[in-house]
């Protein structure tokens, strides 16, 4: 008969504690991030109507898609450093209310100038949201357990794309002309205003840290603190100025630059790519656009759990990025064959999202203290420059060449560079006992 040891009981109690934390935090954070991701997805569908209504070219649309990230980058590090001073709850509430109002305000776009200004302001107001939450999760989970909850939070991206495509195109189709508003105007209003309400929900329900969580006992609070402290990298940086001299941080940032560049060009241009390949119905475009992101959900869950179980991050992020590059190359040369091209895009998108999910457990385990907030924001800021450049470059190349081949090949290069960069940047991984190897 097997005997239950005190260590077994402790492990069981810790597992139950982490499940309790996940049930309390992750559903709300997931829903909040779904609306943030929806702000990026829905622009691609809005383009199918608004480009004619307000007269924007392919290049201008690409600039508008990318300029969001310029605003985000400029204000991201200040936002995250402020989070450590005023707390997560106030920071996330402020971000969500301002971006929700701005997103809904996209209904008032009338010309190129108003389009670009509102897209830039949307990035300014949303700055710091995702990296702030990634930093926040580090308060609750030790480094060895961080990939799975981070991936669950990141699932918001593909989930919002699975739901956002059909919902956005339904709104655009069936509300077009109601109360003298175009379908794309209704879409921005109905998908923007719920974010404002969620901002107040965050204010009422989110705890700034485990110590302030009323739903944890004193013993549970102490255990969370011990687990997180034990999982910290003892060589992690504790001051932001030290982060600025850390070559590993820049290695991760450059890799993230290429990964985000490859991902976001697809996010913004997939509806156009599908429409150019013979899918003329807006509703059908929305349904087909959901397929890559449905596959992404599965890949993200499998990869993140396997990464936590093996205690390995680098290859679990690098290999999927390289596979994504190969699949994108197939898509680039088979645009005249929709089944093959769409299958390749599905594989590429799923693998790039899988790489993205595991990636964020690397800087979270390497950095500690207030430097983690600034370091995560620095990596994200440099990376999101790729989100600014790639959609704009793709639009310019599409307009200049009359097709998508050259633009897709650029994405192949970016995804390949990301995989190589991640593989070359060695970050110590924490094992379940909190020791870095």
């Amino acid at each position: 008969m097997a005997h239950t040891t005190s260590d077994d009981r402790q492990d069981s109690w810790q597992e139950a504690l982490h499940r309790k934390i996940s049930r309390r935090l992750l559903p709300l954070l997931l829903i909040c991030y779904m609306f943030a991701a929806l702000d990026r997805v829905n622009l691609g569908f809005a383009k199918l109507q608004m480009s004619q209504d307000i007269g924007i070219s392919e290049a201008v649309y690409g600039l508008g898609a990318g300029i969001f990230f310029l605003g985000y980058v400029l204000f991201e590090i200040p936002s995250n450093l402020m989070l450590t001073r005023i707390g997560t709850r106030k920071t996330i509430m402020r971000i969500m209310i301002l971006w929700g109002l701005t997103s809904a305000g996209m209904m008032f776009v009338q010309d190129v100038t108003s389009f670009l200004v509102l897209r830039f302001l949307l990035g300014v107001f949303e700055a710091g949201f995702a990296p702030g939450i990634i930093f926040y999760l580090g308060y609750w989970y030790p480094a060895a357990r961080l990939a799975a909850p981070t991936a669950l939070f990141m699932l918001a991206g593909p989930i919002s794309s699975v739901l956002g495509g059909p919902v956005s195109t339904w709104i655009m189709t069936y509300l077009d002309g109601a109360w003298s508003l175009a379908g794309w105007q209704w879409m921005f209003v109905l998908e923007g205003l719920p974010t404002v309400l969620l901002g107040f929900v965050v204010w009422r329900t989110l705890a700034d840290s485990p110590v302030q969580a009323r739903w944890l006992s004193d013993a549970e609070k102490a255990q969370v603190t011990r687990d997180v402290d034990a999982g910290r990298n003892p060589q992690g940086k504790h001051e932001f100025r030290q982060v600025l001299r850390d070559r590993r941080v820049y290695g991760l940032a450059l890799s993230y630059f290429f990964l985000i560049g490859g991902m976001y060009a697809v996010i913004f241009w997939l509806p156009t790519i599908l429409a150019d390949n013979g899918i003329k119905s807006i509703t059908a475009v929305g349904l087909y656009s959901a397929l890559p992101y449905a596959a992404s959900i599965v890949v993200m869950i499998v990869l993140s759990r396997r990464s936590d179980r093996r205690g390995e991050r680098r290859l679990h992020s690098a290999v999927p990025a390289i596979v994504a590059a190969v699949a994108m190359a197939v898509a680039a040369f088979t645009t005249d064959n929709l089944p093959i091209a769409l299958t390749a895009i599905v594989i590429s998108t799923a693998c790039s999202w899988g790489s993205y999910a595991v990636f964020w457990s690397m800087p979270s385990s390497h950095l500690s203290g207030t430097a983690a907030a600034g370091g995560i924001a620095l990596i994200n800021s440099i990376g999101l420059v790729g989100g600014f450049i790639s959609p704009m470059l793709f639009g310019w190349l599409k307009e200049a060449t009359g097709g998508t081949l050259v633009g897709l090949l650029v994405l192949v290069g970016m995804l390949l560079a990301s995989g190589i960069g991640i593989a070359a940047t060695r970050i110590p991984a924490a094992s379940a006992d909190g020791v870095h190897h």
Side-chain angles (χ1 to χ4, degrees), residues 250-268:
Y250 289 105
L252 290 173
L254 186 61
S255 302
Y256 193 57
F257 168 90
F258 289 118
L259 180 61
I260 287 296
M263 288 174 59
Y264 273 103
V266 173
I267 288 173
F268 287 123

Side-chain angles (χ1 to χ4, degrees), residues 42 58 75 124 155 328 339 389:
N42 63 14
E58 303 285 338
F75 289 87
V124 170
L155 282 177
M328 185 62 72
I389 292 174

Side-chain angles (χ1 to χ4, degrees), residues 4 25 71 75 77 105 141 186 188 200 241 258 261 286 289-290 335 407 430:
T4 302
L25 296 182
F75 289 87
I77 292 177
Y141 299 94
W186 278 112
F188 282 125
F200 289 104
R241 65 174 179 269
F258 289 118
S289 295
T335 52

Side-chain angles (χ1 to χ4, degrees), residues 35-43 99 103 119 122 126 191:
F35 279 93
L38 192 58
D39 265 346
R40 305 172 195 186
V41 171
N42 63 14
L43 185 67
W99 111 52
S103 180
R119 285 293 300 171
L122 190 62
E126 195 181 316
E191 294 179 356

